[in-house]
């Protein structure tokens, strides 16, 4: 007989069916992108220069989506195989699982809306804190330290080492503080 811990962690039939549908949808979407890639990307360049030995700009995205479609097809078959052999659990709380997923979607949607106004730093700080709290970590020092350090470290790596700029806040007071932190870290770690 399965223990209570095993029965609560086992995936429900509804979730497995949903996984099959989503995997099938990803397969169709990736295959569609692979097939219709010539219509999505302008070929550009000199047409006489596009011979057999020279590749067009369409080739690599088309190849990537074709490979992704094949991998998604294998994932769909695996999900379908697992969904066939799972027995229904009598007391699984499907509504709670969907509500938890919906809450995470709301957090991510709020983050994507806030990043343009508040900039990368403050919006990521708020999102990281919300996700950490939502996942059950209630020690305030952990929530504060991770949600403060994560955007600073990521911004430093992207902007100062990789030279990829991240969104800056529309509010000058927030942007000035973020710029000052980056200048300080550049001075400490890069000697600039």
């Amino acid at each position: 007989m399965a223990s209570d811990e095993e029965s609560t962690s086992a995936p429900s039939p509804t979730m497995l069916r949903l996984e099959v549908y989503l995997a099938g949808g990803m397969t169709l979407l990736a295959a569609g992108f692979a097939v219709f890639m010539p219509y999505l990307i302008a070929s550009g360049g000199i047409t006489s220069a596009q011979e057999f030995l020279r590749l067009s700009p369409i080739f690599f995205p088309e190849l990537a989506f074709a490979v992704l479609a094949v991998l998604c097809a294998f994932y769909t078959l695996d999900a379908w195989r697992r969904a066939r052999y799972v027995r229904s659990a009598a007391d699984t709380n499907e509504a709670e699982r969907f509500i938890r997923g919906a809450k995470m979607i709301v957090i991510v949607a709020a983050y994507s809306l806030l990043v343009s106004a508040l900039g990368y730093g403050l919006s990521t700080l708020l999102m990281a804190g919300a996700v950490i709290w939502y996942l059950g970590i209630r020690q305030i020092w952990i929530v504060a330290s991770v949600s403060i350090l994560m955007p600073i470290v990521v911004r430093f790596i992207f902007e100062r080492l990789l030279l990829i700029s991240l969104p800056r806040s529309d509010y000058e007071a927030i942007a000035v503080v973020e710029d000052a932190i980056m200048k300080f870290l550049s001075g400490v770690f890069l000697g600039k």
Side-chain angles (χ1 to χ4, degrees), residues 165-183:
S165 63
L166 295 173
R168 192 170 189 264
S169 176
D170 290 341
Y171 302 104
E172 194 61 30
I174 298 170
V176 166
V177 170
E178 289 179 355
D179 290 341
I181 292 170
M182 288 302 111
K183 285 180 185 175

